[in-house]
Amino acid sequence: MAKAPAKRSTKRLSKDEIEAVFSAFERDNPEPKGELFATNAFTLLVAVVLSAQATDAGVNKATPALFRLADTPQKMVKLGVDRITDLVKTIGLYRNKAKNVFALSQQLIERFGGEVPQTREELETLPGVGRKTANVVLNIAFRQPTIAVDTHLFRVSNRTGLAPGKDPLQVELGLLKIVPEKYLLHAHHWLILHGRYVCKARKPECYRCVIAEWCRFEPKTPPPKDWDGAPV
């Protein structure tokens, strides 16, 4: 029985093409921002924990009321698991997430003096916090040049040829090697937002992509018949 042909790997972008890609992202959006609502490092940490397997938009509907009542670990612990659960019940997997939020708040008080730690190793010891969550917090709250690989960034990295990889860690480490240092702080935001709004899973909108000329994805999707090229 003949073997199925091996899937052809995506050709990687050259150093000059990588520079061009991130230069284009920077021109298009010089200061990209995360879309989760947060007021400080602690609320950001909680929001990212709540966002696992949920949309940012869905999390943002629940967290303003939660953070008005509890924007510190001390206030969150005082709120209690049942009240936290009630406030985040519109978010998927809310029961387990509420327990994690309560437990991580306790640990922040007991082990870190109520402060959010600034290393990945320490963050990953907290309930509900994995590598991706830690990287988001380090990048946004503490402006460290980390790359948090979500499903959007994973897709974009593989489609474009920036840093193809079989799993999120391989993609993360690949990007850290090839992204020019001057772009590292914002790289993960550019890639996530690009995947969320342009390089979509089912049908990428290549006709309005700022990096289309360097992207390895083929065939490029044409504009819809009623598209007039106006900014979206």
Side-chain angles (χ1 to χ4, degrees):
M1 184 176 178
K3 292 183 179 180
K7 186 177 180 181
R8 187 169 60 183
S9 59
T10 303
K11 183 181 178 183
R12 294 173 180 268
L13 300 187
S14 68
K15 184 176 180 180
D16 288 345
E17 288 172 323
I18 292 167
E19 169 69 32
V21 163
F22 285 100
S23 178
F25 279 142
E26 185 178 52
R27 288 194 302 274
D28 185 62
N29 185 7
E31 289 289 332
K33 305 293 183 185
E35 297 186 321
L36 285 171
F37 171 74
T39 60
N40 55 31
F42 170 69
T43 57
L44 174 66
L45 173 60
V46 170
V48 182
V49 168
L50 293 173
S51 73
Q53 300 180 55
T55 65
D56 287 2
V59 173
N60 287 344
K61 290 179 181 178
T63 50
L66 174 66
F67 296 155
R68 278 196 296 271
L69 296 173
D71 60 357
T72 67
Q74 293 83 356
K75 292 178 183 177
M76 194 68 74
V77 168
K78 187 175 181 180
L79 208 56
V81 174
D82 290 344
R83 185 70 174 118
I84 297 170
T85 301
D86 185 58
L87 287 163
V88 302
K89 64 184 178 183
T90 58
I91 301 172
L93 307 175
Y94 69 96
R95 294 186 188 279
N96 192 52
K97 289 178 180 179
K99 291 177 183 177
N100 282 336
V101 168
F102 180 79
L104 73 82
S105 299
Q106 284 183 313
Q107 291 196 22
L108 287 176
I109 296 167
E110 294 168 2
R111 297 171 48 214
F112 300 106
E115 300 294 326
V116 176
Q118 298 188 33
T119 70
R120 183 188 294 116
E121 293 74 20
E122 289 174 316
L123 283 165
E124 287 190 81
T125 66
L126 298 170
V129 179
R131 187 180 182 92
K132 183 181 76 173
T133 295
N135 281 340
V136 173
V137 173
L138 293 173
N139 182 270
I140 297 177
F142 304 117
R143 297 186 68 79
Q144 295 185 25
T146 57
I147 293 180
V149 180
D150 72 349
T151 182
H152 301 297
L153 191 151
F154 184 79
R155 178 174 65 253
V156 171
S157 185
N158 276 285
R159 269 184 181 169
T160 59
L162 273 170
K166 296 179 180 179
D167 56 57
L169 181 59
Q170 190 175 23
V171 167
E172 177 190 338
L173 298 179
L175 286 169
L176 288 171
K177 288 180 181 179
I178 61 95
V179 177
E181 185 177 357
K182 61 185 176 181
Y183 299 122
L184 263 178
L185 181 62
H186 294 316
H188 101 271
H189 273 129
W190 283 322
L191 294 169
I192 288 172
L193 294 172
H194 190 66
R196 185 174 291 166
Y197 296 112
V198 180
C199 195
K200 300 175 182 178
R202 291 189 178 182
K203 190 175 182 180
E205 297 178 359
C206 304
Y207 52 89
R208 65 182 191 93
C209 172
V210 299
I211 64 167
E213 63 185 283
W214 306 285
C215 174
R216 298 288 190 248
F217 178 78
E218 295 291 347
K220 299 289 193 291
T221 52
K225 293 180 179 180
D226 60 348
W227 190 69
D228 61 6
V232 176

Short mmCIF file of all heavy atoms in Angstrom, two decimals, residues 15-81:
data_model
loop_
_atom_site.label_atom_id
_atom_site.label_comp_id
_atom_site.label_asym_id
_atom_site.label_seq_id
_atom_site.Cartn_x
_atom_site.Cartn_y
_atom_site.Cartn_z
N LYS A 15 15.84 36.59 6.68
CA LYS A 15 16.09 37.65 7.66
C LYS A 15 15.54 38.99 7.17
O LYS A 15 14.91 39.73 7.94
CB LYS A 15 17.58 37.76 7.95
CG LYS A 15 17.94 38.77 9.03
CD LYS A 15 19.43 38.75 9.31
CE LYS A 15 19.80 39.76 10.40
NZ LYS A 15 21.27 39.75 10.68
N ASP A 16 15.75 39.31 5.91
CA ASP A 16 15.26 40.57 5.35
C ASP A 16 13.73 40.59 5.31
O ASP A 16 13.11 41.64 5.56
CB ASP A 16 15.81 40.79 3.94
CG ASP A 16 17.29 41.15 3.95
OD1 ASP A 16 17.81 41.51 5.03
OD2 ASP A 16 17.92 41.06 2.89
N GLU A 17 13.12 39.45 5.00
CA GLU A 17 11.66 39.38 4.96
C GLU A 17 11.07 39.53 6.36
O GLU A 17 10.03 40.18 6.54
CB GLU A 17 11.22 38.06 4.33
CG GLU A 17 11.47 37.99 2.83
CD GLU A 17 11.21 36.61 2.26
OE1 GLU A 17 11.53 35.60 2.95
OE2 GLU A 17 10.72 36.52 1.13
N ILE A 18 11.71 38.94 7.35
CA ILE A 18 11.25 39.07 8.73
C ILE A 18 11.30 40.53 9.17
O ILE A 18 10.36 41.04 9.78
CB ILE A 18 12.10 38.18 9.67
CG1 ILE A 18 11.82 36.71 9.38
CG2 ILE A 18 11.82 38.51 11.13
CD1 ILE A 18 12.82 35.76 10.00
N GLU A 19 12.38 41.21 8.85
CA GLU A 19 12.49 42.64 9.15
C GLU A 19 11.37 43.42 8.47
O GLU A 19 10.74 44.29 9.09
CB GLU A 19 13.86 43.16 8.68
CG GLU A 19 14.01 44.67 8.70
CD GLU A 19 14.03 45.29 10.08
OE1 GLU A 19 14.54 44.64 11.02
OE2 GLU A 19 13.55 46.43 10.23
N ALA A 20 11.09 43.10 7.22
CA ALA A 20 10.04 43.79 6.48
C ALA A 20 8.67 43.55 7.10
O ALA A 20 7.83 44.47 7.20
CB ALA A 20 10.05 43.34 5.02
N VAL A 21 8.41 42.32 7.54
CA VAL A 21 7.13 41.98 8.15
C VAL A 21 6.89 42.80 9.41
O VAL A 21 5.82 43.42 9.58
CB VAL A 21 7.08 40.46 8.47
CG1 VAL A 21 5.95 40.16 9.47
CG2 VAL A 21 6.88 39.66 7.20
N PHE A 22 7.85 42.82 10.30
CA PHE A 22 7.64 43.52 11.57
C PHE A 22 7.70 45.04 11.40
O PHE A 22 7.04 45.77 12.14
CB PHE A 22 8.62 43.02 12.63
CG PHE A 22 8.23 41.68 13.15
CD1 PHE A 22 8.85 40.53 12.69
CD2 PHE A 22 7.20 41.55 14.07
CE1 PHE A 22 8.47 39.28 13.15
CE2 PHE A 22 6.80 40.30 14.53
CZ PHE A 22 7.44 39.16 14.07
N SER A 23 8.44 45.50 10.42
CA SER A 23 8.41 46.93 10.10
C SER A 23 7.03 47.34 9.62
O SER A 23 6.51 48.40 9.99
CB SER A 23 9.46 47.24 9.03
OG SER A 23 9.42 48.60 8.67
N ALA A 24 6.39 46.46 8.82
CA ALA A 24 5.04 46.74 8.33
C ALA A 24 4.03 46.74 9.48
O ALA A 24 3.14 47.59 9.55
CB ALA A 24 4.64 45.70 7.29
N PHE A 25 4.16 45.77 10.39
CA PHE A 25 3.28 45.75 11.57
C PHE A 25 3.43 47.03 12.39
O PHE A 25 2.44 47.60 12.85
CB PHE A 25 3.62 44.54 12.45
CG PHE A 25 3.04 43.24 12.01
CD1 PHE A 25 3.77 42.06 12.12
CD2 PHE A 25 1.75 43.16 11.49
CE1 PHE A 25 3.24 40.84 11.73
CE2 PHE A 25 1.20 41.95 11.10
CZ PHE A 25 1.95 40.78 11.21
N GLU A 26 4.66 47.47 12.57
CA GLU A 26 4.92 48.66 13.37
C GLU A 26 4.32 49.91 12.72
O GLU A 26 3.73 50.75 13.40
CB GLU A 26 6.41 48.85 13.58
CG GLU A 26 6.76 50.02 14.51
CD GLU A 26 8.24 50.14 14.74
OE1 GLU A 26 9.00 50.20 13.75
OE2 GLU A 26 8.66 50.17 15.91
N ARG A 27 4.46 50.03 11.41
CA ARG A 27 3.88 51.18 10.71
C ARG A 27 2.36 51.17 10.84
O ARG A 27 1.72 52.21 11.01
CB ARG A 27 4.26 51.16 9.23
CG ARG A 27 5.72 51.50 8.95
CD ARG A 27 5.93 51.79 7.47
NE ARG A 27 5.54 50.67 6.62
CZ ARG A 27 6.34 49.66 6.30
NH1 ARG A 27 7.57 49.61 6.78
NH2 ARG A 27 5.92 48.68 5.50
N ASP A 28 1.78 49.99 10.75
CA ASP A 28 0.33 49.87 10.78
C ASP A 28 -0.24 50.09 12.18
O ASP A 28 -1.34 50.64 12.33
CB ASP A 28 -0.06 48.47 10.28
CG ASP A 28 -1.56 48.29 10.17
OD1 ASP A 28 -2.20 49.03 9.38
OD2 ASP A 28 -2.10 47.40 10.87
N ASN A 29 0.50 49.68 13.22
CA ASN A 29 0.00 49.76 14.59
C ASN A 29 1.19 49.93 15.54
O ASN A 29 1.67 48.96 16.12
CB ASN A 29 -0.80 48.50 14.93
CG ASN A 29 -1.46 48.55 16.29
OD1 ASN A 29 -1.45 49.58 16.96
ND2 ASN A 29 -2.05 47.44 16.71
N PRO A 30 1.69 51.16 15.70
CA PRO A 30 2.93 51.39 16.46
C PRO A 30 2.87 50.94 17.92
O PRO A 30 3.89 50.53 18.47
CB PRO A 30 3.12 52.91 16.36
CG PRO A 30 2.35 53.32 15.15
CD PRO A 30 1.18 52.39 15.10
N GLU A 31 1.72 51.04 18.55
CA GLU A 31 1.60 50.68 19.97
C GLU A 31 0.43 49.72 20.18
O GLU A 31 -0.64 50.11 20.67
CB GLU A 31 1.41 51.94 20.82
CG GLU A 31 2.64 52.82 20.92
CD GLU A 31 3.74 52.20 21.77
OE1 GLU A 31 3.42 51.39 22.67
OE2 GLU A 31 4.92 52.51 21.51
N PRO A 32 0.58 48.47 19.81
CA PRO A 32 -0.53 47.51 19.97
C PRO A 32 -0.83 47.26 21.44
O PRO A 32 0.07 47.29 22.28
CB PRO A 32 0.01 46.25 19.30
CG PRO A 32 1.49 46.36 19.47
CD PRO A 32 1.80 47.83 19.33
N LYS A 33 -2.08 47.03 21.73
CA LYS A 33 -2.51 46.82 23.11
C LYS A 33 -3.26 45.50 23.24
O LYS A 33 -3.97 45.07 22.33
CB LYS A 33 -3.44 47.96 23.57
CG LYS A 33 -2.86 49.36 23.43
CD LYS A 33 -1.69 49.58 24.35
CE LYS A 33 -1.17 51.02 24.25
NZ LYS A 33 0.05 51.23 25.06
N GLY A 34 -3.13 44.88 24.42
CA GLY A 34 -3.94 43.72 24.72
C GLY A 34 -5.39 44.13 24.87
O GLY A 34 -5.68 45.28 25.23
N GLU A 35 -6.30 43.22 24.63
CA GLU A 35 -7.72 43.57 24.64
C GLU A 35 -8.45 43.17 25.91
O GLU A 35 -9.65 43.44 26.05
CB GLU A 35 -8.41 42.95 23.41
CG GLU A 35 -7.85 43.52 22.11
CD GLU A 35 -8.59 43.07 20.88
OE1 GLU A 35 -8.98 41.88 20.83
OE2 GLU A 35 -8.78 43.89 19.97
N LEU A 36 -7.76 42.55 26.86
CA LEU A 36 -8.40 42.22 28.13
C LEU A 36 -8.46 43.44 29.03
O LEU A 36 -7.48 44.17 29.18
CB LEU A 36 -7.64 41.11 28.84
CG LEU A 36 -7.81 39.69 28.30
CD1 LEU A 36 -6.81 38.75 28.97
CD2 LEU A 36 -9.24 39.19 28.50
N PHE A 37 -9.61 43.64 29.66
CA PHE A 37 -9.77 44.74 30.61
C PHE A 37 -9.01 44.42 31.89
O PHE A 37 -9.14 43.34 32.47
CB PHE A 37 -11.25 44.96 30.94
CG PHE A 37 -11.48 45.92 32.07
CD1 PHE A 37 -11.29 47.28 31.89
CD2 PHE A 37 -11.87 45.46 33.33
CE1 PHE A 37 -11.48 48.18 32.93
CE2 PHE A 37 -12.07 46.34 34.37
CZ PHE A 37 -11.88 47.71 34.17
N ALA A 38 -8.19 45.37 32.34
CA ALA A 38 -7.44 45.19 33.59
C ALA A 38 -7.04 46.57 34.10
O ALA A 38 -6.89 47.52 33.32
CB ALA A 38 -6.21 44.33 33.38
N THR A 39 -6.86 46.67 35.41
CA THR A 39 -6.49 47.96 36.01
C THR A 39 -5.11 47.94 36.65
O THR A 39 -4.56 49.00 36.96
CB THR A 39 -7.53 48.35 37.09
OG1 THR A 39 -7.55 47.33 38.11
CG2 THR A 39 -8.92 48.49 36.49
N ASN A 40 -4.54 46.76 36.85
CA ASN A 40 -3.20 46.63 37.42
C ASN A 40 -2.69 45.23 37.13
O ASN A 40 -3.36 44.43 36.45
CB ASN A 40 -3.23 46.91 38.94
CG ASN A 40 -4.22 46.03 39.68
OD1 ASN A 40 -4.49 44.89 39.30
ND2 ASN A 40 -4.80 46.56 40.76
N ALA A 41 -1.49 44.91 37.60
CA ALA A 41 -0.89 43.60 37.31
C ALA A 41 -1.73 42.45 37.85
O ALA A 41 -1.85 41.40 37.21
CB ALA A 41 0.52 43.54 37.89
N PHE A 42 -2.32 42.65 39.03
CA PHE A 42 -3.14 41.58 39.62
C PHE A 42 -4.40 41.32 38.79
O PHE A 42 -4.71 40.16 38.48
CB PHE A 42 -3.52 41.93 41.05
CG PHE A 42 -4.55 40.99 41.64
CD1 PHE A 42 -4.21 39.67 41.92
CD2 PHE A 42 -5.84 41.41 41.89
CE1 PHE A 42 -5.16 38.78 42.44
CE2 PHE A 42 -6.79 40.54 42.41
CZ PHE A 42 -6.45 39.22 42.68
N THR A 43 -5.13 42.37 38.45
CA THR A 43 -6.35 42.15 37.67
C THR A 43 -6.02 41.61 36.27
O THR A 43 -6.80 40.84 35.71
CB THR A 43 -7.19 43.44 37.56
OG1 THR A 43 -6.40 44.49 36.99
CG2 THR A 43 -7.71 43.86 38.93
N LEU A 44 -4.87 41.98 35.73
CA LEU A 44 -4.46 41.41 34.45
C LEU A 44 -4.24 39.91 34.59
O LEU A 44 -4.71 39.11 33.76
CB LEU A 44 -3.18 42.07 33.94
CG LEU A 44 -2.59 41.45 32.67
CD1 LEU A 44 -3.52 41.64 31.48
CD2 LEU A 44 -1.21 42.03 32.39
N LEU A 45 -3.54 39.51 35.65
CA LEU A 45 -3.31 38.09 35.90
C LEU A 45 -4.62 37.34 36.01
O LEU A 45 -4.81 36.28 35.39
CB LEU A 45 -2.49 37.92 37.18
CG LEU A 45 -2.29 36.49 37.69
CD1 LEU A 45 -1.57 35.64 36.68
CD2 LEU A 45 -1.53 36.52 39.03
N VAL A 46 -5.56 37.88 36.75
CA VAL A 46 -6.87 37.24 36.92
C VAL A 46 -7.59 37.16 35.57
O VAL A 46 -8.16 36.12 35.21
CB VAL A 46 -7.73 38.00 37.95
CG1 VAL A 46 -9.17 37.48 37.95
CG2 VAL A 46 -7.11 37.88 39.34
N ALA A 47 -7.57 38.24 34.81
CA ALA A 47 -8.26 38.26 33.52
C ALA A 47 -7.69 37.22 32.57
O ALA A 47 -8.44 36.55 31.85
CB ALA A 47 -8.16 39.67 32.91
N VAL A 48 -6.38 37.08 32.56
CA VAL A 48 -5.76 36.10 31.66
C VAL A 48 -6.11 34.67 32.09
O VAL A 48 -6.38 33.81 31.26
CB VAL A 48 -4.24 36.30 31.57
CG1 VAL A 48 -3.64 35.29 30.59
CG2 VAL A 48 -3.90 37.71 31.12
N VAL A 49 -6.12 34.42 33.38
CA VAL A 49 -6.54 33.11 33.88
C VAL A 49 -7.98 32.81 33.47
O VAL A 49 -8.30 31.71 33.03
CB VAL A 49 -6.38 33.03 35.42
CG1 VAL A 49 -7.08 31.79 35.99
CG2 VAL A 49 -4.91 33.03 35.81
N LEU A 50 -8.84 33.81 33.57
CA LEU A 50 -10.24 33.62 33.19
C LEU A 50 -10.42 33.45 31.68
O LEU A 50 -11.42 32.88 31.23
CB LEU A 50 -11.07 34.82 33.66
CG LEU A 50 -11.22 34.99 35.17
CD1 LEU A 50 -11.92 36.32 35.48
CD2 LEU A 50 -12.02 33.84 35.77
N SER A 51 -9.46 33.93 30.90
CA SER A 51 -9.61 33.91 29.44
C SER A 51 -9.26 32.57 28.80
O SER A 51 -9.47 32.39 27.60
CB SER A 51 -8.76 35.01 28.81
OG SER A 51 -7.38 34.69 28.87
N ALA A 52 -8.73 31.62 29.58
CA ALA A 52 -8.39 30.32 29.01
C ALA A 52 -9.63 29.67 28.40
O ALA A 52 -10.67 29.57 29.05
CB ALA A 52 -7.80 29.42 30.10
N GLN A 53 -9.53 29.27 27.13
CA GLN A 53 -10.64 28.65 26.40
C GLN A 53 -11.89 29.53 26.41
O GLN A 53 -13.02 29.04 26.45
CB GLN A 53 -10.96 27.27 26.98
CG GLN A 53 -9.78 26.31 26.90
CD GLN A 53 -10.11 24.94 27.47
OE1 GLN A 53 -11.07 24.30 27.05
NE2 GLN A 53 -9.32 24.49 28.44
N ALA A 54 -11.67 30.84 26.39
CA ALA A 54 -12.78 31.80 26.32
C ALA A 54 -12.30 33.00 25.51
O ALA A 54 -11.10 33.19 25.32
CB ALA A 54 -13.20 32.24 27.72
N THR A 55 -13.22 33.80 25.04
CA THR A 55 -12.83 34.98 24.26
C THR A 55 -12.56 36.16 25.19
O THR A 55 -13.13 36.26 26.28
CB THR A 55 -13.94 35.37 23.27
OG1 THR A 55 -15.11 35.79 24.01
CG2 THR A 55 -14.31 34.21 22.36
N ASP A 56 -11.70 37.06 24.73
CA ASP A 56 -11.44 38.28 25.50
C ASP A 56 -12.72 39.07 25.69
O ASP A 56 -12.97 39.63 26.77
CB ASP A 56 -10.40 39.14 24.79
CG ASP A 56 -9.00 38.56 24.88
OD1 ASP A 56 -8.84 37.47 25.46
OD2 ASP A 56 -8.06 39.20 24.36
N ALA A 57 -13.54 39.13 24.64
CA ALA A 57 -14.78 39.89 24.72
C ALA A 57 -15.70 39.32 25.79
O ALA A 57 -16.33 40.07 26.56
CB ALA A 57 -15.49 39.89 23.36
N GLY A 58 -15.78 38.01 25.87
CA GLY A 58 -16.62 37.38 26.88
C GLY A 58 -16.11 37.63 28.29
O GLY A 58 -16.89 37.89 29.22
N VAL A 59 -14.80 37.58 28.46
CA VAL A 59 -14.20 37.85 29.77
C VAL A 59 -14.44 39.30 30.16
O VAL A 59 -14.76 39.60 31.33
CB VAL A 59 -12.70 37.52 29.76
CG1 VAL A 59 -12.03 37.96 31.06
CG2 VAL A 59 -12.48 36.03 29.53
N ASN A 60 -14.30 40.20 29.21
CA ASN A 60 -14.46 41.63 29.51
C ASN A 60 -15.88 42.00 29.92
O ASN A 60 -16.09 43.06 30.51
CB ASN A 60 -14.07 42.46 28.28
CG ASN A 60 -12.58 42.48 28.06
OD1 ASN A 60 -11.80 42.15 28.95
ND2 ASN A 60 -12.16 42.88 26.87
N LYS A 61 -16.85 41.17 29.64
CA LYS A 61 -18.22 41.44 30.09
C LYS A 61 -18.38 41.15 31.58
O LYS A 61 -19.24 41.75 32.24
CB LYS A 61 -19.20 40.58 29.28
CG LYS A 61 -19.34 40.99 27.82
CD LYS A 61 -20.31 40.09 27.08
CE LYS A 61 -20.43 40.49 25.61
NZ LYS A 61 -21.34 39.58 24.86
N ALA A 62 -17.55 40.24 32.09
CA ALA A 62 -17.70 39.83 33.49
C ALA A 62 -16.75 40.55 34.43
O ALA A 62 -17.09 40.81 35.60
CB ALA A 62 -17.48 38.32 33.60
N THR A 63 -15.55 40.88 33.97
CA THR A 63 -14.52 41.34 34.90
C THR A 63 -14.69 42.76 35.46
O THR A 63 -14.24 43.01 36.58
CB THR A 63 -13.12 41.21 34.27
OG1 THR A 63 -13.14 41.81 32.95
CG2 THR A 63 -12.72 39.76 34.16
N PRO A 64 -15.31 43.71 34.74
CA PRO A 64 -15.45 45.03 35.37
C PRO A 64 -16.15 44.99 36.72
O PRO A 64 -15.72 45.64 37.68
CB PRO A 64 -16.24 45.83 34.33
CG PRO A 64 -15.84 45.22 33.02
CD PRO A 64 -15.73 43.75 33.32
N ALA A 65 -17.24 44.22 36.81
CA ALA A 65 -17.96 44.11 38.09
C ALA A 65 -17.10 43.41 39.14
O ALA A 65 -17.08 43.80 40.31
CB ALA A 65 -19.26 43.34 37.88
N LEU A 66 -16.36 42.39 38.72
CA LEU A 66 -15.48 41.67 39.65
C LEU A 66 -14.39 42.59 40.17
O LEU A 66 -14.12 42.64 41.39
CB LEU A 66 -14.85 40.46 38.94
CG LEU A 66 -13.79 39.69 39.72
CD1 LEU A 66 -14.40 39.01 40.95
CD2 LEU A 66 -13.12 38.64 38.82
N PHE A 67 -13.77 43.34 39.27
CA PHE A 67 -12.64 44.17 39.67
C PHE A 67 -13.05 45.42 40.45
O PHE A 67 -12.24 45.98 41.19
CB PHE A 67 -11.79 44.55 38.45
CG PHE A 67 -11.15 43.36 37.77
CD1 PHE A 67 -10.81 43.42 36.41
CD2 PHE A 67 -10.90 42.19 38.46
CE1 PHE A 67 -10.22 42.33 35.79
CE2 PHE A 67 -10.32 41.09 37.84
CZ PHE A 67 -9.98 41.16 36.50
N ARG A 68 -14.29 45.83 40.29
CA ARG A 68 -14.77 46.95 41.14
C ARG A 68 -14.81 46.52 42.59
O ARG A 68 -14.59 47.34 43.49
CB ARG A 68 -16.17 47.39 40.68
CG ARG A 68 -16.16 48.34 39.49
CD ARG A 68 -17.49 49.04 39.33
NE ARG A 68 -18.57 48.11 39.02
CZ ARG A 68 -18.93 47.75 37.78
NH1 ARG A 68 -18.26 48.24 36.74
NH2 ARG A 68 -19.92 46.92 37.57
N LEU A 69 -15.08 45.26 42.83
CA LEU A 69 -15.14 44.73 44.19
C LEU A 69 -13.80 44.22 44.69
O LEU A 69 -13.52 44.25 45.90
CB LEU A 69 -16.16 43.59 44.24
CG LEU A 69 -17.62 43.95 43.94
CD1 LEU A 69 -18.47 42.69 43.87
CD2 LEU A 69 -18.16 44.89 45.02
N ALA A 70 -12.96 43.74 43.77
CA ALA A 70 -11.71 43.10 44.20
C ALA A 70 -10.61 43.34 43.17
O ALA A 70 -10.48 42.61 42.20
CB ALA A 70 -11.93 41.60 44.39
N ASP A 71 -9.81 44.38 43.43
CA ASP A 71 -8.69 44.67 42.52
C ASP A 71 -7.34 44.39 43.18
O ASP A 71 -6.30 44.80 42.67
CB ASP A 71 -8.75 46.11 42.01
CG ASP A 71 -8.70 47.13 43.13
OD1 ASP A 71 -8.68 46.73 44.32
OD2 ASP A 71 -8.69 48.34 42.82
N THR A 72 -7.37 43.69 44.31
CA THR A 72 -6.15 43.25 44.98
C THR A 72 -6.35 41.81 45.45
O THR A 72 -7.50 41.36 45.61
CB THR A 72 -5.82 44.12 46.22
OG1 THR A 72 -6.83 43.88 47.22
CG2 THR A 72 -5.76 45.60 45.86
N PRO A 73 -5.28 41.07 45.70
CA PRO A 73 -5.44 39.70 46.22
C PRO A 73 -6.19 39.67 47.55
O PRO A 73 -7.01 38.76 47.78
CB PRO A 73 -3.99 39.22 46.40
CG PRO A 73 -3.18 40.06 45.47
CD PRO A 73 -3.85 41.40 45.45
N GLN A 74 -5.95 40.65 48.39
CA GLN A 74 -6.62 40.68 49.70
C GLN A 74 -8.14 40.81 49.54
O GLN A 74 -8.92 40.11 50.21
CB GLN A 74 -6.07 41.84 50.53
CG GLN A 74 -4.62 41.69 50.96
CD GLN A 74 -3.61 42.12 49.88
OE1 GLN A 74 -3.98 42.48 48.76
NE2 GLN A 74 -2.33 42.10 50.23
N LYS A 75 -8.55 41.70 48.66
CA LYS A 75 -9.99 41.89 48.43
C LYS A 75 -10.61 40.66 47.77
O LYS A 75 -11.76 40.31 48.05
CB LYS A 75 -10.22 43.13 47.56
CG LYS A 75 -9.89 44.44 48.24
CD LYS A 75 -10.10 45.61 47.28
CE LYS A 75 -9.71 46.93 47.91
NZ LYS A 75 -9.84 48.08 46.95
N MET A 76 -9.85 40.00 46.90
CA MET A 76 -10.37 38.82 46.21
C MET A 76 -10.59 37.69 47.20
O MET A 76 -11.62 36.98 47.16
CB MET A 76 -9.41 38.39 45.10
CG MET A 76 -10.01 37.40 44.12
SD MET A 76 -11.33 38.10 43.07
CE MET A 76 -10.38 39.14 41.93
N VAL A 77 -9.64 37.50 48.11
CA VAL A 77 -9.79 36.45 49.12
C VAL A 77 -10.98 36.76 50.02
O VAL A 77 -11.77 35.87 50.37
CB VAL A 77 -8.49 36.32 49.95
CG1 VAL A 77 -8.73 35.44 51.19
CG2 VAL A 77 -7.38 35.73 49.09
N LYS A 78 -11.13 38.02 50.39
CA LYS A 78 -12.26 38.43 51.23
C LYS A 78 -13.59 38.19 50.52
O LYS A 78 -14.60 37.86 51.15
CB LYS A 78 -12.11 39.90 51.61
CG LYS A 78 -13.14 40.38 52.62
CD LYS A 78 -12.87 41.82 53.05
CE LYS A 78 -13.88 42.28 54.07
NZ LYS A 78 -13.63 43.70 54.50
N LEU A 79 -13.58 38.33 49.19
CA LEU A 79 -14.81 38.12 48.41
C LEU A 79 -15.28 36.68 48.53
O LEU A 79 -16.49 36.41 48.65
CB LEU A 79 -14.52 38.48 46.95
CG LEU A 79 -15.68 38.96 46.08
CD1 LEU A 79 -16.37 40.17 46.68
CD2 LEU A 79 -15.15 39.30 44.68
N GLY A 80 -14.34 35.73 48.51
CA GLY A 80 -14.69 34.32 48.68
C GLY A 80 -15.01 33.62 47.37
O GLY A 80 -15.41 34.25 46.39
N VAL A 81 -14.86 32.30 47.38
CA VAL A 81 -15.05 31.51 46.16
C VAL A 81 -16.46 31.62 45.61
O VAL A 81 -16.67 31.77 44.40
CB VAL A 81 -14.71 30.02 46.42
CG1 VAL A 81 -15.05 29.17 45.20
CG2 VAL A 81 -13.24 29.86 46.76
#
